[in-house]
Amino acid sequence: MAVERSVKDSIPYLDEIVQGDCSTLLRHLPNECVDAVVTSPPYYQQRDYGGLGLGNESSVEEYIEKLVAIFEQCVRCVKRTGSIFFNIGDKYVDGSLALAPYLFAHAATQRTGVKLINIITWVKPNPEPRQYRRRLVSSTEPIFHFVKSEEYKYFYDRFMAHRDVVRQRVKAGNNIGRQYLELIEQSDLSPEQKQEARLALQQAIAEVQRGEIASFRMKIRGIHSEAYGGYEGGRKNHLLKKGFTIIRMYDRALKRDVIECPVIASKLGNHPAVYPEFLVQELLSLTTEVGDVVLDPFLGSGTTAVVAKRMGRHYVGFEINPSYCQIARQRVNEVEVQPNLLEFFV
Ligand SMILES: C[S@@+](CC[C@H](N)C(=O)[O-])C[C@H]1O[C@@H](n2cnc3c(N)ncnc32)[C@H](O)[C@@H]1O
């Protein structure tokens, strides 16, 4: 309790959403007072947030200059054990990507001495459905993970355990089983072969649930392509004769620098660039503990504060647009600290 009070006393704006320009507000925070910064600044000339704040500069260089000045303040506010996550998307200028995220990351490391330990790729399974004839639809964005020292907090095992639980639930849960069952029914397998395929599927699901295998894939004759080449000959024969084959994956999953989650439309108001709660959850789970302080200088509709509160972390949120502040406050007020979620992530 005494610790709680001292945190509250020493950090202005703790558990508050403050309307204003973060380049000014950040100066009110003491040195080394927050455990993590998780944020998504406005992208270069990408969206209109009511004509306010960063992102409307006339050149990429000017944008980077302003953003790095704000980043420098973030670095000052973060503890030696802390992490800084910046998610920034790119922009086409005269038909070419401006590389703004990477120019920023380069300037940020050069100017502040932070270490860039990962460029995590956020993969969006549901990108904006645009039909370009001469290029591919962009469906990823980088999230830069910077640290101030080698002493940064990192909860890899917790993260792996969480990933394993999620993976098992997703892969072994009804979803994947149901999909394969439907495919078995739709196939031209004989009734006996279908029965054998169902049994083999149930067995593979049970093996994942018991943790004996990491995952599996099923191939069904006439539905999936045949295995290539000679080395898969056994499987190919099984597929042709029995009508199905199951490929088991035994290796423990590596935690890769990829987070796959869909863009979610905001239910509250119309903030144009809400990032997914899951993204923030993953980053906080990896680098923070209950009671830590999380800062978002570009809070938007409040996602970082919502997730921080739910996970039992403190938050500090700055947002220049008054109507987005209102949305953020409403979202945060509706959030409860969820003990079950904490059990799961901590
Ligand atoms: C990409 S959005 C953040 C969205 C947020 N991650 C969410 O999930 O809602 C960037 C936000 O930064 C705000 N902003 C722009 N310049 C700012 C500044 N100088 N200080 C504080 N907020 C600013 C914009 O109004 C916008 O809401």
Side-chain angles (χ1 to χ4, degrees), residues 13 18-29 69-70 73 76-77 297 318 320:
Y13 313 131
V18 185
Q19 190 264 316
D21 187 333
C22 66
S23 50
T24 309
L25 289 167
L26 279 165
R27 294 180 193 282
H28 301 173
L29 296 178
I70 292 169
Q73 285 297 318
R76 183 186 60 75
C77 296
F318 300 144
I320 204 164

mmCIF file of all heavy atoms in Angstrom, residues 13 18-29 69-70 73 76-77 297 318 320:
data_model
loop_
_atom_site.group_PDB
_atom_site.id
_atom_site.type_symbol
_atom_site.label_atom_id
_atom_site.label_comp_id
_atom_site.label_asym_id
_atom_site.label_seq_id
_atom_site.Cartn_x
_atom_site.Cartn_y
_atom_site.Cartn_z
ATOM 1 N N TYR A 13 -0.266 12.772 -13.251
ATOM 2 C CA TYR A 13 -1.187 12.205 -14.252
ATOM 3 C C TYR A 13 -1.331 10.683 -14.156
ATOM 4 O O TYR A 13 -1.787 10.046 -15.118
ATOM 5 C CB TYR A 13 -0.744 12.511 -15.690
ATOM 6 C CG TYR A 13 -0.362 13.936 -15.956
ATOM 7 C CD1 TYR A 13 0.829 14.251 -16.602
ATOM 8 C CD2 TYR A 13 -1.210 14.990 -15.600
ATOM 9 C CE1 TYR A 13 1.184 15.546 -16.873
ATOM 10 C CE2 TYR A 13 -0.848 16.307 -15.868
ATOM 11 C CZ TYR A 13 0.351 16.573 -16.501
ATOM 12 O OH TYR A 13 0.700 17.859 -16.763
ATOM 13 N N VAL A 18 -4.979 12.783 -20.189
ATOM 14 C CA VAL A 18 -4.809 14.231 -20.159
ATOM 15 C C VAL A 18 -4.876 14.765 -21.582
ATOM 16 O O VAL A 18 -4.187 14.252 -22.477
ATOM 17 C CB VAL A 18 -3.439 14.593 -19.532
ATOM 18 C CG1 VAL A 18 -3.312 16.097 -19.376
ATOM 19 C CG2 VAL A 18 -3.273 13.893 -18.194
ATOM 20 N N GLN A 19 -5.698 15.785 -21.772
ATOM 21 C CA GLN A 19 -5.812 16.370 -23.114
ATOM 22 C C GLN A 19 -4.697 17.399 -23.305
ATOM 23 O O GLN A 19 -4.482 18.265 -22.455
ATOM 24 C CB GLN A 19 -7.185 17.038 -23.258
ATOM 25 C CG GLN A 19 -7.513 17.466 -24.675
ATOM 26 C CD GLN A 19 -7.187 18.910 -24.937
ATOM 27 O OE1 GLN A 19 -7.485 19.765 -24.121
ATOM 28 N NE2 GLN A 19 -6.553 19.192 -26.081
ATOM 29 N N GLY A 20 -3.969 17.276 -24.394
ATOM 30 C CA GLY A 20 -2.925 18.248 -24.683
ATOM 31 C C GLY A 20 -1.870 17.681 -25.615
ATOM 32 O O GLY A 20 -1.945 16.518 -26.033
ATOM 33 N N ASP A 21 -0.909 18.528 -25.941
ATOM 34 C CA ASP A 21 0.177 18.149 -26.842
ATOM 35 C C ASP A 21 1.241 17.392 -26.036
ATOM 36 O O ASP A 21 1.796 17.942 -25.084
ATOM 37 C CB ASP A 21 0.761 19.435 -27.440
ATOM 38 C CG ASP A 21 1.793 19.153 -28.515
ATOM 39 O OD1 ASP A 21 2.431 18.081 -28.464
ATOM 40 O OD2 ASP A 21 1.961 20.007 -29.395
ATOM 41 N N CYS A 22 1.518 16.173 -26.449
ATOM 42 C CA CYS A 22 2.451 15.362 -25.645
ATOM 43 C C CYS A 22 3.847 15.946 -25.619
ATOM 44 O O CYS A 22 4.608 15.699 -24.675
ATOM 45 C CB CYS A 22 2.458 13.912 -26.112
ATOM 46 S SG CYS A 22 3.108 13.677 -27.759
ATOM 47 N N SER A 23 4.209 16.743 -26.645
ATOM 48 C CA SER A 23 5.574 17.289 -26.617
ATOM 49 C C SER A 23 5.735 18.251 -25.444
ATOM 50 O O SER A 23 6.842 18.436 -24.945
ATOM 51 C CB SER A 23 5.956 17.937 -27.947
ATOM 52 O OG SER A 23 4.973 18.820 -28.352
ATOM 53 N N THR A 24 4.629 18.825 -24.972
ATOM 54 C CA THR A 24 4.677 19.664 -23.765
ATOM 55 C C THR A 24 4.441 18.828 -22.513
ATOM 56 O O THR A 24 5.177 18.924 -21.533
ATOM 57 C CB THR A 24 3.569 20.754 -23.844
ATOM 58 O OG1 THR A 24 3.674 21.398 -25.090
ATOM 59 C CG2 THR A 24 3.698 21.734 -22.698
ATOM 60 N N LEU A 25 3.411 17.986 -22.553
ATOM 61 C CA LEU A 25 3.022 17.226 -21.347
ATOM 62 C C LEU A 25 4.135 16.292 -20.864
ATOM 63 O O LEU A 25 4.328 16.116 -19.664
ATOM 64 C CB LEU A 25 1.741 16.419 -21.626
ATOM 65 C CG LEU A 25 0.477 17.260 -21.766
ATOM 66 C CD1 LEU A 25 -0.657 16.431 -22.350
ATOM 67 C CD2 LEU A 25 0.071 17.842 -20.419
ATOM 68 N N LEU A 26 4.854 15.707 -21.810
ATOM 69 C CA LEU A 26 5.916 14.758 -21.422
ATOM 70 C C LEU A 26 6.955 15.431 -20.526
ATOM 71 O O LEU A 26 7.553 14.800 -19.660
ATOM 72 C CB LEU A 26 6.599 14.205 -22.680
ATOM 73 C CG LEU A 26 5.861 13.066 -23.389
ATOM 74 C CD1 LEU A 26 6.421 12.850 -24.793
ATOM 75 C CD2 LEU A 26 5.981 11.770 -22.590
ATOM 76 N N ARG A 27 7.147 16.743 -20.721
ATOM 77 C CA ARG A 27 8.154 17.460 -19.923
ATOM 78 C C ARG A 27 7.752 17.536 -18.457
ATOM 79 O O ARG A 27 8.593 17.803 -17.601
ATOM 80 C CB ARG A 27 8.361 18.878 -20.494
ATOM 81 C CG ARG A 27 8.969 18.847 -21.860
ATOM 82 C CD ARG A 27 9.186 20.219 -22.469
ATOM 83 N NE ARG A 27 9.489 20.067 -23.880
ATOM 84 C CZ ARG A 27 10.672 19.710 -24.368
ATOM 85 N NH1 ARG A 27 11.674 19.496 -23.543
ATOM 86 N NH2 ARG A 27 10.855 19.555 -25.671
ATOM 87 N N HIS A 28 6.480 17.306 -18.148
ATOM 88 C CA HIS A 28 6.034 17.339 -16.748
ATOM 89 C C HIS A 28 6.352 16.041 -16.010
ATOM 90 O O HIS A 28 6.209 15.973 -14.799
ATOM 91 C CB HIS A 28 4.520 17.585 -16.656
ATOM 92 C CG HIS A 28 4.093 18.865 -17.302
ATOM 93 N ND1 HIS A 28 2.777 19.220 -17.455
ATOM 94 C CD2 HIS A 28 4.819 19.875 -17.853
ATOM 95 C CE1 HIS A 28 2.707 20.391 -18.073
ATOM 96 N NE2 HIS A 28 3.932 20.794 -18.324
ATOM 97 N N LEU A 29 6.700 15.001 -16.745
ATOM 98 C CA LEU A 29 6.978 13.706 -16.094
ATOM 99 C C LEU A 29 8.438 13.660 -15.635
ATOM 100 O O LEU A 29 9.334 14.110 -16.360
ATOM 101 C CB LEU A 29 6.707 12.543 -17.061
ATOM 102 C CG LEU A 29 5.265 12.360 -17.520
ATOM 103 C CD1 LEU A 29 5.163 11.199 -18.513
ATOM 104 C CD2 LEU A 29 4.335 12.108 -16.339
ATOM 105 N N ALA A 69 12.006 14.060 -31.430
ATOM 106 C CA ALA A 69 12.047 14.938 -30.242
ATOM 107 C C ALA A 69 11.100 14.392 -29.163
ATOM 108 O O ALA A 69 11.437 14.385 -27.970
ATOM 109 C CB ALA A 69 11.653 16.358 -30.633
ATOM 110 N N ILE A 70 9.943 13.893 -29.573
ATOM 111 C CA ILE A 70 8.998 13.302 -28.611
ATOM 112 C C ILE A 70 9.559 11.988 -28.069
ATOM 113 O O ILE A 70 9.479 11.700 -26.875
ATOM 114 C CB ILE A 70 7.617 13.114 -29.283
ATOM 115 C CG1 ILE A 70 6.996 14.478 -29.564
ATOM 116 C CG2 ILE A 70 6.688 12.254 -28.421
ATOM 117 C CD1 ILE A 70 5.777 14.469 -30.454
ATOM 118 N N GLN A 73 11.949 12.428 -25.259
ATOM 119 C CA GLN A 73 11.272 12.627 -23.971
ATOM 120 C C GLN A 73 10.825 11.286 -23.389
ATOM 121 O O GLN A 73 10.905 11.074 -22.177
ATOM 122 C CB GLN A 73 10.056 13.540 -24.152
ATOM 123 C CG GLN A 73 10.399 15.002 -24.334
ATOM 124 C CD GLN A 73 11.087 15.559 -23.090
ATOM 125 O OE1 GLN A 73 10.705 15.278 -21.965
ATOM 126 N NE2 GLN A 73 12.145 16.321 -23.296
ATOM 127 N N ARG A 76 13.730 9.582 -21.827
ATOM 128 C CA ARG A 76 14.050 10.194 -20.525
ATOM 129 C C ARG A 76 13.124 9.659 -19.431
ATOM 130 O O ARG A 76 13.541 9.392 -18.304
ATOM 131 C CB ARG A 76 13.906 11.725 -20.644
ATOM 132 C CG ARG A 76 14.267 12.492 -19.383
ATOM 133 C CD ARG A 76 13.966 13.975 -19.511
ATOM 134 N NE ARG A 76 12.564 14.272 -19.761
ATOM 135 C CZ ARG A 76 11.596 14.206 -18.847
ATOM 136 N NH1 ARG A 76 11.878 13.854 -17.618
ATOM 137 N NH2 ARG A 76 10.338 14.488 -19.164
ATOM 138 N N CYS A 77 11.842 9.479 -19.762
ATOM 139 C CA CYS A 77 10.847 9.077 -18.747
ATOM 140 C C CYS A 77 10.902 7.586 -18.402
ATOM 141 O O CYS A 77 10.351 7.169 -17.386
ATOM 142 C CB CYS A 77 9.434 9.389 -19.231
ATOM 143 S SG CYS A 77 9.143 11.130 -19.451
ATOM 144 N N PRO A 297 1.856 8.388 -25.143
ATOM 145 C CA PRO A 297 1.759 9.825 -25.413
ATOM 146 C C PRO A 297 0.804 10.170 -26.553
ATOM 147 O O PRO A 297 0.459 11.334 -26.726
ATOM 148 C CB PRO A 297 3.195 10.209 -25.779
ATOM 149 C CG PRO A 297 3.856 8.948 -26.211
ATOM 150 C CD PRO A 297 3.141 7.806 -25.567
ATOM 151 N N PHE A 318 -1.761 10.639 -22.924
ATOM 152 C CA PHE A 318 -1.877 12.002 -23.453
ATOM 153 C C PHE A 318 -2.549 11.925 -24.827
ATOM 154 O O PHE A 318 -2.231 11.038 -25.642
ATOM 155 C CB PHE A 318 -0.499 12.652 -23.615
ATOM 156 C CG PHE A 318 0.283 12.761 -22.331
ATOM 157 C CD1 PHE A 318 1.668 12.589 -22.325
ATOM 158 C CD2 PHE A 318 -0.348 13.052 -21.127
ATOM 159 C CE1 PHE A 318 2.396 12.691 -21.147
ATOM 160 C CE2 PHE A 318 0.375 13.158 -19.935
ATOM 161 C CZ PHE A 318 1.749 12.977 -19.952
ATOM 162 N N ILE A 320 -4.184 14.759 -27.894
ATOM 163 C CA ILE A 320 -4.370 16.180 -28.226
ATOM 164 C C ILE A 320 -5.830 16.520 -28.567
ATOM 165 O O ILE A 320 -6.277 17.641 -28.355
ATOM 166 C CB ILE A 320 -3.418 16.577 -29.396
ATOM 167 C CG1 ILE A 320 -3.141 18.062 -29.371
ATOM 168 C CG2 ILE A 320 -3.947 16.117 -30.739
ATOM 169 C CD1 ILE A 320 -1.943 18.479 -30.220
#
